[in-house]
Amino acid sequence: MSDPRSPSAPASGVPHSHAEDAYALFVGAIQLSLGLVLLKSAGLVTGGVAGISLVLNYLTGLPVGLFYAAFTIPMLAVTLRTMSWLFIVKTLIVTFSLFAMTEVAANTIAIDSISKPVAALVGGSVIGMGALALARHGAGTGGSGAIVLWLYRTRDWNAGRTQMLIDGCVLLFSLVTLDLGLVLWSLLGVTATAGILYVWHRTGRYTGY
């Protein structure tokens, strides 16, 4: 990609094609699914809807993707007047893709042993890269992200602080099934995810849209 600071760089970004968007949604869903597999293998959680889904999976044994879809769909419905229909459709595609991919992973990937710090750092970072890919192509990772943007647009709540508040509440909720040590390792994973988005999802860092 050309350096946006160079004289030869284009004045504005080049729109993604539909094929590029579709591929990004596919890759982003894969990354989210893989990150969840790594966290689940170590008995950890993450923030947002994905974290709630993992906690409920530990409590009930029902699929992570099922809870993910069950929470995301009504949350997206709340934001219909704020978010574009294209964003809603893309996020729903990601949601159902994640449901399918986590089910496939449960039957095709077996991790016998993984250390908790590795699961937290790698799993959290992979989730962050998946969220970044989706954001670059106009999709969200789930209902909590849409709620954060909805509160920003309708109540002027700071998006970063709101997301931190939601993630903190999810980690506290996870104490119903995880001990404090696992929650602290999960916090490391949440921090790794946030770090990816903080470093690479900033205005001026990307010229495509």
Side-chain angles (χ1 to χ4, degrees), residues 56-96:
L56 294 176
N57 168 261
Y58 296 148
L59 288 173
T60 67
L62 294 174
V64 172
L66 178 63
F67 291 117
Y68 193 90
F71 281 104
T72 291
I73 292 172
M75 286 183 178
L76 286 176
V78 171
T79 67
L80 280 176
R81 291 188 176 182
T82 306
M83 311 301 294
S84 70
W85 274 104
L86 188 57
F87 173 86
I88 298 293
V89 170
K90 287 181 177 180
T91 303
L92 285 174
I93 291 172
V94 172
T95 297
F96 290 116

PDB file of all heavy atoms in Angstrom, residues 56-96:
ATOM      1  N   LEU A  56     -21.909 -18.663  29.686  1.00  0.00           N
ATOM      2  CA  LEU A  56     -23.119 -19.492  29.636  1.00  0.00           C
ATOM      3  C   LEU A  56     -22.826 -20.881  29.082  1.00  0.00           C
ATOM      4  O   LEU A  56     -23.463 -21.858  29.483  1.00  0.00           O
ATOM      5  CB  LEU A  56     -24.191 -18.791  28.808  1.00  0.00           C
ATOM      6  CG  LEU A  56     -24.721 -17.481  29.412  1.00  0.00           C
ATOM      7  CD1 LEU A  56     -25.720 -16.809  28.478  1.00  0.00           C
ATOM      8  CD2 LEU A  56     -25.352 -17.735  30.778  1.00  0.00           C
ATOM      9  N   ASN A  57     -21.865 -20.974  28.183  1.00  0.00           N
ATOM     10  CA  ASN A  57     -21.438 -22.282  27.689  1.00  0.00           C
ATOM     11  C   ASN A  57     -20.844 -23.118  28.817  1.00  0.00           C
ATOM     12  O   ASN A  57     -21.140 -24.311  28.949  1.00  0.00           O
ATOM     13  CB  ASN A  57     -20.418 -22.111  26.562  1.00  0.00           C
ATOM     14  CG  ASN A  57     -19.715 -23.403  26.198  1.00  0.00           C
ATOM     15  OD1 ASN A  57     -18.587 -23.646  26.642  1.00  0.00           O
ATOM     16  ND2 ASN A  57     -20.353 -24.242  25.410  1.00  0.00           N
ATOM     17  N   TYR A  58     -20.013 -22.500  29.658  1.00  0.00           N
ATOM     18  CA  TYR A  58     -19.429 -23.214  30.794  1.00  0.00           C
ATOM     19  C   TYR A  58     -20.508 -23.671  31.775  1.00  0.00           C
ATOM     20  O   TYR A  58     -20.413 -24.741  32.381  1.00  0.00           O
ATOM     21  CB  TYR A  58     -18.420 -22.324  31.530  1.00  0.00           C
ATOM     22  CG  TYR A  58     -17.210 -21.932  30.709  1.00  0.00           C
ATOM     23  CD1 TYR A  58     -16.590 -20.696  30.905  1.00  0.00           C
ATOM     24  CD2 TYR A  58     -16.680 -22.784  29.749  1.00  0.00           C
ATOM     25  CE1 TYR A  58     -15.478 -20.332  30.163  1.00  0.00           C
ATOM     26  CE2 TYR A  58     -15.566 -22.418  29.007  1.00  0.00           C
ATOM     27  CZ  TYR A  58     -14.970 -21.196  29.215  1.00  0.00           C
ATOM     28  OH  TYR A  58     -13.862 -20.841  28.480  1.00  0.00           O
ATOM     29  N   LEU A  59     -21.549 -22.852  31.927  1.00  0.00           N
ATOM     30  CA  LEU A  59     -22.604 -23.165  32.891  1.00  0.00           C
ATOM     31  C   LEU A  59     -23.573 -24.229  32.382  1.00  0.00           C
ATOM     32  O   LEU A  59     -24.065 -25.054  33.160  1.00  0.00           O
ATOM     33  CB  LEU A  59     -23.386 -21.892  33.239  1.00  0.00           C
ATOM     34  CG  LEU A  59     -22.678 -20.860  34.121  1.00  0.00           C
ATOM     35  CD1 LEU A  59     -23.505 -19.591  34.220  1.00  0.00           C
ATOM     36  CD2 LEU A  59     -22.414 -21.428  35.509  1.00  0.00           C
ATOM     37  N   THR A  60     -23.852 -24.212  31.073  1.00  0.00           N
ATOM     38  CA  THR A  60     -24.916 -25.080  30.540  1.00  0.00           C
ATOM     39  C   THR A  60     -24.429 -26.158  29.573  1.00  0.00           C
ATOM     40  O   THR A  60     -25.131 -27.140  29.358  1.00  0.00           O
ATOM     41  CB  THR A  60     -25.961 -24.228  29.796  1.00  0.00           C
ATOM     42  OG1 THR A  60     -25.366 -23.662  28.618  1.00  0.00           O
ATOM     43  CG2 THR A  60     -26.481 -23.098  30.689  1.00  0.00           C
ATOM     44  N   GLY A  61     -23.271 -25.934  28.956  1.00  0.00           N
ATOM     45  CA  GLY A  61     -22.792 -26.870  27.949  1.00  0.00           C
ATOM     46  C   GLY A  61     -23.382 -26.650  26.573  1.00  0.00           C
ATOM     47  O   GLY A  61     -23.012 -27.338  25.609  1.00  0.00           O
ATOM     48  N   LEU A  62     -24.288 -25.688  26.433  1.00  0.00           N
ATOM     49  CA  LEU A  62     -24.881 -25.377  25.126  1.00  0.00           C
ATOM     50  C   LEU A  62     -23.871 -24.611  24.266  1.00  0.00           C
ATOM     51  O   LEU A  62     -22.957 -23.978  24.793  1.00  0.00           O
ATOM     52  CB  LEU A  62     -26.164 -24.558  25.307  1.00  0.00           C
ATOM     53  CG  LEU A  62     -27.319 -25.286  25.997  1.00  0.00           C
ATOM     54  CD1 LEU A  62     -28.478 -24.334  26.253  1.00  0.00           C
ATOM     55  CD2 LEU A  62     -27.778 -26.477  25.155  1.00  0.00           C
ATOM     56  N   PRO A  63     -24.021 -24.647  22.936  1.00  0.00           N
ATOM     57  CA  PRO A  63     -23.027 -24.042  22.047  1.00  0.00           C
ATOM     58  C   PRO A  63     -22.811 -22.554  22.277  1.00  0.00           C
ATOM     59  O   PRO A  63     -23.772 -21.801  22.516  1.00  0.00           O
ATOM     60  CB  PRO A  63     -23.622 -24.292  20.656  1.00  0.00           C
ATOM     61  CG  PRO A  63     -24.523 -25.455  20.813  1.00  0.00           C
ATOM     62  CD  PRO A  63     -25.097 -25.334  22.192  1.00  0.00           C
ATOM     63  N   VAL A  64     -21.543 -22.139  22.181  1.00  0.00           N
ATOM     64  CA  VAL A  64     -21.190 -20.725  22.311  1.00  0.00           C
ATOM     65  C   VAL A  64     -21.913 -19.908  21.239  1.00  0.00           C
ATOM     66  O   VAL A  64     -22.464 -18.840  21.515  1.00  0.00           O
ATOM     67  CB  VAL A  64     -19.667 -20.536  22.187  1.00  0.00           C
ATOM     68  CG1 VAL A  64     -19.313 -19.049  22.131  1.00  0.00           C
ATOM     69  CG2 VAL A  64     -18.944 -21.213  23.336  1.00  0.00           C
ATOM     70  N   GLY A  65     -21.900 -20.404  19.995  1.00  0.00           N
ATOM     71  CA  GLY A  65     -22.509 -19.681  18.892  1.00  0.00           C
ATOM     72  C   GLY A  65     -23.995 -19.451  19.060  1.00  0.00           C
ATOM     73  O   GLY A  65     -24.536 -18.439  18.608  1.00  0.00           O
ATOM     74  N   LEU A  66     -24.659 -20.375  19.728  1.00  0.00           N
ATOM     75  CA  LEU A  66     -26.095 -20.229  19.967  1.00  0.00           C
ATOM     76  C   LEU A  66     -26.378 -19.029  20.859  1.00  0.00           C
ATOM     77  O   LEU A  66     -27.260 -18.202  20.571  1.00  0.00           O
ATOM     78  CB  LEU A  66     -26.641 -21.506  20.604  1.00  0.00           C
ATOM     79  CG  LEU A  66     -28.129 -21.508  20.958  1.00  0.00           C
ATOM     80  CD1 LEU A  66     -28.973 -21.371  19.697  1.00  0.00           C
ATOM     81  CD2 LEU A  66     -28.502 -22.778  21.717  1.00  0.00           C
ATOM     82  N   PHE A  67     -25.623 -18.911  21.941  1.00  0.00           N
ATOM     83  CA  PHE A  67     -25.789 -17.760  22.836  1.00  0.00           C
ATOM     84  C   PHE A  67     -25.390 -16.466  22.135  1.00  0.00           C
ATOM     85  O   PHE A  67     -26.026 -15.423  22.316  1.00  0.00           O
ATOM     86  CB  PHE A  67     -24.960 -17.952  24.107  1.00  0.00           C
ATOM     87  CG  PHE A  67     -25.459 -19.046  25.006  1.00  0.00           C
ATOM     88  CD1 PHE A  67     -24.685 -20.163  25.268  1.00  0.00           C
ATOM     89  CD2 PHE A  67     -26.708 -18.954  25.599  1.00  0.00           C
ATOM     90  CE1 PHE A  67     -25.138 -21.168  26.100  1.00  0.00           C
ATOM     91  CE2 PHE A  67     -27.178 -19.957  26.437  1.00  0.00           C
ATOM     92  CZ  PHE A  67     -26.388 -21.065  26.686  1.00  0.00           C
ATOM     93  N   TYR A  68     -24.322 -16.548  21.339  1.00  0.00           N
ATOM     94  CA  TYR A  68     -23.837 -15.371  20.624  1.00  0.00           C
ATOM     95  C   TYR A  68     -24.927 -14.798  19.722  1.00  0.00           C
ATOM     96  O   TYR A  68     -25.196 -13.589  19.727  1.00  0.00           O
ATOM     97  CB  TYR A  68     -22.608 -15.765  19.807  1.00  0.00           C
ATOM     98  CG  TYR A  68     -21.818 -14.604  19.257  1.00  0.00           C
ATOM     99  CD1 TYR A  68     -20.775 -14.041  19.985  1.00  0.00           C
ATOM    100  CD2 TYR A  68     -22.088 -14.081  17.995  1.00  0.00           C
ATOM    101  CE1 TYR A  68     -20.033 -12.989  19.482  1.00  0.00           C
ATOM    102  CE2 TYR A  68     -21.352 -13.024  17.482  1.00  0.00           C
ATOM    103  CZ  TYR A  68     -20.320 -12.493  18.233  1.00  0.00           C
ATOM    104  OH  TYR A  68     -19.590 -11.438  17.731  1.00  0.00           O
ATOM    105  N   ALA A  69     -25.570 -15.670  18.963  1.00  0.00           N
ATOM    106  CA  ALA A  69     -26.644 -15.226  18.079  1.00  0.00           C
ATOM    107  C   ALA A  69     -27.854 -14.748  18.870  1.00  0.00           C
ATOM    108  O   ALA A  69     -28.484 -13.737  18.523  1.00  0.00           O
ATOM    109  CB  ALA A  69     -27.041 -16.360  17.140  1.00  0.00           C
ATOM    110  N   ALA A  70     -28.170 -15.443  19.953  1.00  0.00           N
ATOM    111  CA  ALA A  70     -29.358 -15.105  20.744  1.00  0.00           C
ATOM    112  C   ALA A  70     -29.251 -13.722  21.374  1.00  0.00           C
ATOM    113  O   ALA A  70     -30.264 -13.027  21.532  1.00  0.00           O
ATOM    114  CB  ALA A  70     -29.563 -16.156  21.834  1.00  0.00           C
ATOM    115  N   PHE A  71     -28.036 -13.303  21.727  1.00  0.00           N
ATOM    116  CA  PHE A  71     -27.849 -11.973  22.313  1.00  0.00           C
ATOM    117  C   PHE A  71     -27.659 -10.899  21.242  1.00  0.00           C
ATOM    118  O   PHE A  71     -28.113  -9.758  21.418  1.00  0.00           O
ATOM    119  CB  PHE A  71     -26.640 -11.971  23.258  1.00  0.00           C
ATOM    120  CG  PHE A  71     -26.916 -12.571  24.597  1.00  0.00           C
ATOM    121  CD1 PHE A  71     -26.469 -13.845  24.909  1.00  0.00           C
ATOM    122  CD2 PHE A  71     -27.629 -11.873  25.559  1.00  0.00           C
ATOM    123  CE1 PHE A  71     -26.727 -14.407  26.144  1.00  0.00           C
ATOM    124  CE2 PHE A  71     -27.893 -12.423  26.799  1.00  0.00           C
ATOM    125  CZ  PHE A  71     -27.450 -13.699  27.093  1.00  0.00           C
ATOM    126  N   THR A  72     -26.986 -11.252  20.166  1.00  0.00           N
ATOM    127  CA  THR A  72     -26.666 -10.251  19.146  1.00  0.00           C
ATOM    128  C   THR A  72     -27.906  -9.761  18.410  1.00  0.00           C
ATOM    129  O   THR A  72     -28.076  -8.551  18.188  1.00  0.00           O
ATOM    130  CB  THR A  72     -25.660 -10.831  18.129  1.00  0.00           C
ATOM    131  OG1 THR A  72     -24.401 -11.011  18.781  1.00  0.00           O
ATOM    132  CG2 THR A  72     -25.474  -9.892  16.948  1.00  0.00           C
ATOM    133  N   ILE A  73     -28.805 -10.669  18.041  1.00  0.00           N
ATOM    134  CA  ILE A  73     -29.959 -10.287  17.222  1.00  0.00           C
ATOM    135  C   ILE A  73     -30.833  -9.225  17.904  1.00  0.00           C
ATOM    136  O   ILE A  73     -31.137  -8.183  17.297  1.00  0.00           O
ATOM    137  CB  ILE A  73     -30.780 -11.526  16.831  1.00  0.00           C
ATOM    138  CG1 ILE A  73     -29.960 -12.386  15.861  1.00  0.00           C
ATOM    139  CG2 ILE A  73     -32.098 -11.120  16.186  1.00  0.00           C
ATOM    140  CD1 ILE A  73     -30.566 -13.735  15.551  1.00  0.00           C
ATOM    141  N   PRO A  74     -31.253  -9.401  19.165  1.00  0.00           N
ATOM    142  CA  PRO A  74     -32.058  -8.341  19.785  1.00  0.00           C
ATOM    143  C   PRO A  74     -31.284  -7.045  20.006  1.00  0.00           C
ATOM    144  O   PRO A  74     -31.865  -5.951  19.941  1.00  0.00           O
ATOM    145  CB  PRO A  74     -32.501  -8.962  21.121  1.00  0.00           C
ATOM    146  CG  PRO A  74     -31.559 -10.088  21.362  1.00  0.00           C
ATOM    147  CD  PRO A  74     -31.169 -10.597  20.024  1.00  0.00           C
ATOM    148  N   MET A  75     -29.975  -7.146  20.259  1.00  0.00           N
ATOM    149  CA  MET A  75     -29.181  -5.925  20.433  1.00  0.00           C
ATOM    150  C   MET A  75     -29.105  -5.128  19.130  1.00  0.00           C
ATOM    151  O   MET A  75     -29.172  -3.893  19.135  1.00  0.00           O
ATOM    152  CB  MET A  75     -27.771  -6.274  20.916  1.00  0.00           C
ATOM    153  CG  MET A  75     -27.705  -6.697  22.364  1.00  0.00           C
ATOM    154  SD  MET A  75     -26.011  -7.028  22.913  1.00  0.00           S
ATOM    155  CE  MET A  75     -26.287  -7.421  24.648  1.00  0.00           C
ATOM    156  N   LEU A  76     -28.976  -5.830  18.017  1.00  0.00           N
ATOM    157  CA  LEU A  76     -28.972  -5.147  16.729  1.00  0.00           C
ATOM    158  C   LEU A  76     -30.328  -4.505  16.460  1.00  0.00           C
ATOM    159  O   LEU A  76     -30.408  -3.427  15.865  1.00  0.00           O
ATOM    160  CB  LEU A  76     -28.620  -6.127  15.611  1.00  0.00           C
ATOM    161  CG  LEU A  76     -27.158  -6.554  15.508  1.00  0.00           C
ATOM    162  CD1 LEU A  76     -26.989  -7.598  14.410  1.00  0.00           C
ATOM    163  CD2 LEU A  76     -26.251  -5.370  15.251  1.00  0.00           C
ATOM    164  N   ALA A  77     -31.397  -5.165  16.879  1.00  0.00           N
ATOM    165  CA  ALA A  77     -32.741  -4.617  16.671  1.00  0.00           C
ATOM    166  C   ALA A  77     -32.893  -3.267  17.372  1.00  0.00           C
ATOM    167  O   ALA A  77     -33.549  -2.353  16.854  1.00  0.00           O
ATOM    168  CB  ALA A  77     -33.789  -5.599  17.175  1.00  0.00           C
ATOM    169  N   VAL A  78     -32.263  -3.126  18.549  1.00  0.00           N
ATOM    170  CA  VAL A  78     -32.328  -1.872  19.305  1.00  0.00           C
ATOM    171  C   VAL A  78     -31.694  -0.730  18.512  1.00  0.00           C
ATOM    172  O   VAL A  78     -32.109   0.423  18.617  1.00  0.00           O
ATOM    173  CB  VAL A  78     -31.628  -2.041  20.676  1.00  0.00           C
ATOM    174  CG1 VAL A  78     -31.483  -0.703  21.383  1.00  0.00           C
ATOM    175  CG2 VAL A  78     -32.420  -3.012  21.544  1.00  0.00           C
ATOM    176  N   THR A  79     -30.682  -1.056  17.700  1.00  0.00           N
ATOM    177  CA  THR A  79     -29.904  -0.020  17.010  1.00  0.00           C
ATOM    178  C   THR A  79     -30.365   0.241  15.580  1.00  0.00           C
ATOM    179  O   THR A  79     -29.679   0.943  14.838  1.00  0.00           O
ATOM    180  CB  THR A  79     -28.415  -0.423  16.978  1.00  0.00           C
ATOM    181  OG1 THR A  79     -28.249  -1.573  16.138  1.00  0.00           O
ATOM    182  CG2 THR A  79     -27.915  -0.761  18.373  1.00  0.00           C
ATOM    183  N   LEU A  80     -31.512  -0.278  15.182  1.00  0.00           N
ATOM    184  CA  LEU A  80     -31.937  -0.180  13.788  1.00  0.00           C
ATOM    185  C   LEU A  80     -32.012   1.260  13.283  1.00  0.00           C
ATOM    186  O   LEU A  80     -31.676   1.544  12.141  1.00  0.00           O
ATOM    187  CB  LEU A  80     -33.307  -0.851  13.612  1.00  0.00           C
ATOM    188  CG  LEU A  80     -33.303  -2.374  13.502  1.00  0.00           C
ATOM    189  CD1 LEU A  80     -34.726  -2.909  13.427  1.00  0.00           C
ATOM    190  CD2 LEU A  80     -32.511  -2.822  12.274  1.00  0.00           C
ATOM    191  N   ARG A  81     -32.453   2.173  14.128  1.00  0.00           N
ATOM    192  CA  ARG A  81     -32.605   3.553  13.683  1.00  0.00           C
ATOM    193  C   ARG A  81     -31.277   4.291  13.608  1.00  0.00           C
ATOM    194  O   ARG A  81     -31.192   5.363  13.007  1.00  0.00           O
ATOM    195  CB  ARG A  81     -33.549   4.302  14.617  1.00  0.00           C
ATOM    196  CG  ARG A  81     -34.997   3.854  14.536  1.00  0.00           C
ATOM    197  CD  ARG A  81     -35.886   4.764  15.346  1.00  0.00           C
ATOM    198  NE  ARG A  81     -37.291   4.401  15.217  1.00  0.00           N
ATOM    199  CZ  ARG A  81     -38.290   5.065  15.786  1.00  0.00           C
ATOM    200  NH1 ARG A  81     -38.024   6.133  16.547  1.00  0.00           N
ATOM    201  NH2 ARG A  81     -39.537   4.679  15.624  1.00  0.00           N
ATOM    202  N   THR A  82     -30.264   3.741  14.250  1.00  0.00           N
ATOM    203  CA  THR A  82     -28.966   4.414  14.308  1.00  0.00           C
ATOM    204  C   THR A  82     -27.983   3.864  13.295  1.00  0.00           C
ATOM    205  O   THR A  82     -27.243   4.602  12.659  1.00  0.00           O
ATOM    206  CB  THR A  82     -28.358   4.288  15.715  1.00  0.00           C
ATOM    207  OG1 THR A  82     -29.300   4.765  16.679  1.00  0.00           O
ATOM    208  CG2 THR A  82     -27.080   5.096  15.841  1.00  0.00           C
ATOM    209  N   MET A  83     -27.970   2.549  13.132  1.00  0.00           N
ATOM    210  CA  MET A  83     -27.013   1.897  12.253  1.00  0.00           C
ATOM    211  C   MET A  83     -27.618   1.715  10.861  1.00  0.00           C
ATOM    212  O   MET A  83     -28.829   1.615  10.706  1.00  0.00           O
ATOM    213  CB  MET A  83     -26.620   0.528  12.814  1.00  0.00           C
ATOM    214  CG  MET A  83     -26.228   0.546  14.279  1.00  0.00           C
ATOM    215  SD  MET A  83     -24.847   1.640  14.613  1.00  0.00           S
ATOM    216  CE  MET A  83     -23.560   0.777  13.718  1.00  0.00           C
ATOM    217  N   SER A  84     -26.764   1.664   9.853  1.00  0.00           N
ATOM    218  CA  SER A  84     -27.246   1.440   8.495  1.00  0.00           C
ATOM    219  C   SER A  84     -27.688  -0.018   8.334  1.00  0.00           C
ATOM    220  O   SER A  84     -27.226  -0.906   9.052  1.00  0.00           O
ATOM    221  CB  SER A  84     -26.129   1.736   7.481  1.00  0.00           C
ATOM    222  OG  SER A  84     -25.107   0.753   7.551  1.00  0.00           O
ATOM    223  N   TRP A  85     -28.598  -0.227   7.377  1.00  0.00           N
ATOM    224  CA  TRP A  85     -29.053  -1.592   7.111  1.00  0.00           C
ATOM    225  C   TRP A  85     -27.904  -2.472   6.645  1.00  0.00           C
ATOM    226  O   TRP A  85     -27.854  -3.662   6.948  1.00  0.00           O
ATOM    227  CB  TRP A  85     -30.162  -1.575   6.056  1.00  0.00           C
ATOM    228  CG  TRP A  85     -31.514  -1.361   6.649  1.00  0.00           C
ATOM    229  CD1 TRP A  85     -32.251  -0.215   6.642  1.00  0.00           C
ATOM    230  CD2 TRP A  85     -32.289  -2.312   7.389  1.00  0.00           C
ATOM    231  NE1 TRP A  85     -33.432  -0.383   7.321  1.00  0.00           N
ATOM    232  CE2 TRP A  85     -33.486  -1.672   7.784  1.00  0.00           C
ATOM    233  CE3 TRP A  85     -32.090  -3.638   7.745  1.00  0.00           C
ATOM    234  CZ2 TRP A  85     -34.468  -2.317   8.524  1.00  0.00           C
ATOM    235  CZ3 TRP A  85     -33.082  -4.285   8.480  1.00  0.00           C
ATOM    236  CH2 TRP A  85     -34.250  -3.628   8.856  1.00  0.00           C
ATOM    237  N   LEU A  86     -26.947  -1.872   5.907  1.00  0.00           N
ATOM    238  CA  LEU A  86     -25.806  -2.650   5.422  1.00  0.00           C
ATOM    239  C   LEU A  86     -24.968  -3.155   6.592  1.00  0.00           C
ATOM    240  O   LEU A  86     -24.526  -4.305   6.595  1.00  0.00           O
ATOM    241  CB  LEU A  86     -24.948  -1.793   4.488  1.00  0.00           C
ATOM    242  CG  LEU A  86     -23.821  -2.522   3.741  1.00  0.00           C
ATOM    243  CD1 LEU A  86     -24.380  -3.678   2.916  1.00  0.00           C
ATOM    244  CD2 LEU A  86     -23.062  -1.546   2.849  1.00  0.00           C
ATOM    245  N   PHE A  87     -24.771  -2.301   7.602  1.00  0.00           N
ATOM    246  CA  PHE A  87     -24.039  -2.725   8.792  1.00  0.00           C
ATOM    247  C   PHE A  87     -24.783  -3.859   9.497  1.00  0.00           C
ATOM    248  O   PHE A  87     -24.163  -4.843   9.927  1.00  0.00           O
ATOM    249  CB  PHE A  87     -23.867  -1.543   9.755  1.00  0.00           C
ATOM    250  CG  PHE A  87     -23.267  -1.906  11.087  1.00  0.00           C
ATOM    251  CD1 PHE A  87     -21.893  -1.955  11.249  1.00  0.00           C
ATOM    252  CD2 PHE A  87     -24.079  -2.209  12.178  1.00  0.00           C
ATOM    253  CE1 PHE A  87     -21.334  -2.292  12.474  1.00  0.00           C
ATOM    254  CE2 PHE A  87     -23.534  -2.551  13.399  1.00  0.00           C
ATOM    255  CZ  PHE A  87     -22.155  -2.593  13.546  1.00  0.00           C
ATOM    256  N   ILE A  88     -26.089  -3.719   9.637  1.00  0.00           N
ATOM    257  CA  ILE A  88     -26.894  -4.747  10.308  1.00  0.00           C
ATOM    258  C   ILE A  88     -26.785  -6.077   9.571  1.00  0.00           C
ATOM    259  O   ILE A  88     -26.563  -7.132  10.182  1.00  0.00           O
ATOM    260  CB  ILE A  88     -28.378  -4.313  10.372  1.00  0.00           C
ATOM    261  CG1 ILE A  88     -28.539  -3.025  11.185  1.00  0.00           C
ATOM    262  CG2 ILE A  88     -29.228  -5.436  10.958  1.00  0.00           C
ATOM    263  CD1 ILE A  88     -28.235  -3.149  12.649  1.00  0.00           C
ATOM    264  N   VAL A  89     -26.929  -6.035   8.234  1.00  0.00           N
ATOM    265  CA  VAL A  89     -26.881  -7.271   7.435  1.00  0.00           C
ATOM    266  C   VAL A  89     -25.509  -7.922   7.544  1.00  0.00           C
ATOM    267  O   VAL A  89     -25.395  -9.145   7.755  1.00  0.00           O
ATOM    268  CB  VAL A  89     -27.234  -6.971   5.968  1.00  0.00           C
ATOM    269  CG1 VAL A  89     -26.947  -8.195   5.095  1.00  0.00           C
ATOM    270  CG2 VAL A  89     -28.704  -6.576   5.846  1.00  0.00           C
ATOM    271  N   LYS A  90     -24.448  -7.136   7.416  1.00  0.00           N
ATOM    272  CA  LYS A  90     -23.099  -7.691   7.500  1.00  0.00           C
ATOM    273  C   LYS A  90     -22.835  -8.309   8.871  1.00  0.00           C
ATOM    274  O   LYS A  90     -22.237  -9.388   8.980  1.00  0.00           O
ATOM    275  CB  LYS A  90     -22.058  -6.601   7.212  1.00  0.00           C
ATOM    276  CG  LYS A  90     -21.974  -6.192   5.752  1.00  0.00           C
ATOM    277  CD  LYS A  90     -20.908  -5.126   5.557  1.00  0.00           C
ATOM    278  CE  LYS A  90     -20.752  -4.756   4.087  1.00  0.00           C
ATOM    279  NZ  LYS A  90     -19.711  -3.713   3.895  1.00  0.00           N
ATOM    280  N   THR A  91     -23.280  -7.625   9.920  1.00  0.00           N
ATOM    281  CA  THR A  91     -23.058  -8.145  11.272  1.00  0.00           C
ATOM    282  C   THR A  91     -23.847  -9.429  11.499  1.00  0.00           C
ATOM    283  O   THR A  91     -23.365 -10.351  12.171  1.00  0.00           O
ATOM    284  CB  THR A  91     -23.433  -7.083  12.322  1.00  0.00           C
ATOM    285  OG1 THR A  91     -22.667  -5.891  12.085  1.00  0.00           O
ATOM    286  CG2 THR A  91     -23.138  -7.576  13.731  1.00  0.00           C
ATOM    287  N   LEU A  92     -25.053  -9.509  10.944  1.00  0.00           N
ATOM    288  CA  LEU A  92     -25.823 -10.750  11.047  1.00  0.00           C
ATOM    289  C   LEU A  92     -25.136 -11.889  10.301  1.00  0.00           C
ATOM    290  O   LEU A  92     -25.122 -13.031  10.784  1.00  0.00           O
ATOM    291  CB  LEU A  92     -27.235 -10.537  10.495  1.00  0.00           C
ATOM    292  CG  LEU A  92     -28.196  -9.745  11.395  1.00  0.00           C
ATOM    293  CD1 LEU A  92     -29.500  -9.475  10.664  1.00  0.00           C
ATOM    294  CD2 LEU A  92     -28.456 -10.491  12.699  1.00  0.00           C
ATOM    295  N   ILE A  93     -24.552 -11.587   9.155  1.00  0.00           N
ATOM    296  CA  ILE A  93     -23.803 -12.611   8.417  1.00  0.00           C
ATOM    297  C   ILE A  93     -22.640 -13.127   9.263  1.00  0.00           C
ATOM    298  O   ILE A  93     -22.400 -14.337   9.353  1.00  0.00           O
ATOM    299  CB  ILE A  93     -23.286 -12.047   7.077  1.00  0.00           C
ATOM    300  CG1 ILE A  93     -24.457 -11.788   6.119  1.00  0.00           C
ATOM    301  CG2 ILE A  93     -22.273 -12.996   6.442  1.00  0.00           C
ATOM    302  CD1 ILE A  93     -24.065 -11.058   4.843  1.00  0.00           C
ATOM    303  N   VAL A  94     -21.928 -12.205   9.904  1.00  0.00           N
ATOM    304  CA  VAL A  94     -20.819 -12.600  10.783  1.00  0.00           C
ATOM    305  C   VAL A  94     -21.330 -13.442  11.948  1.00  0.00           C
ATOM    306  O   VAL A  94     -20.727 -14.459  12.313  1.00  0.00           O
ATOM    307  CB  VAL A  94     -20.084 -11.350  11.316  1.00  0.00           C
ATOM    308  CG1 VAL A  94     -19.063 -11.740  12.385  1.00  0.00           C
ATOM    309  CG2 VAL A  94     -19.386 -10.616  10.182  1.00  0.00           C
ATOM    310  N   THR A  95     -22.456 -13.039  12.517  1.00  0.00           N
ATOM    311  CA  THR A  95     -23.020 -13.746  13.665  1.00  0.00           C
ATOM    312  C   THR A  95     -23.347 -15.201  13.331  1.00  0.00           C
ATOM    313  O   THR A  95     -22.970 -16.127  14.059  1.00  0.00           O
ATOM    314  CB  THR A  95     -24.291 -13.027  14.159  1.00  0.00           C
ATOM    315  OG1 THR A  95     -23.934 -11.713  14.599  1.00  0.00           O
ATOM    316  CG2 THR A  95     -24.927 -13.791  15.315  1.00  0.00           C
ATOM    317  N   PHE A  96     -24.051 -15.403  12.221  1.00  0.00           N
ATOM    318  CA  PHE A  96     -24.419 -16.774  11.846  1.00  0.00           C
ATOM    319  C   PHE A  96     -23.212 -17.566  11.357  1.00  0.00           C
ATOM    320  O   PHE A  96     -23.150 -18.784  11.543  1.00  0.00           O
ATOM    321  CB  PHE A  96     -25.531 -16.735  10.805  1.00  0.00           C
ATOM    322  CG  PHE A  96     -26.851 -16.269  11.350  1.00  0.00           C
ATOM    323  CD1 PHE A  96     -27.443 -15.098  10.898  1.00  0.00           C
ATOM    324  CD2 PHE A  96     -27.498 -16.980  12.361  1.00  0.00           C
ATOM    325  CE1 PHE A  96     -28.647 -14.652  11.417  1.00  0.00           C
ATOM    326  CE2 PHE A  96     -28.706 -16.548  12.886  1.00  0.00           C
ATOM    327  CZ  PHE A  96     -29.288 -15.385  12.417  1.00  0.00           C
TER     328      PHE A  96
END
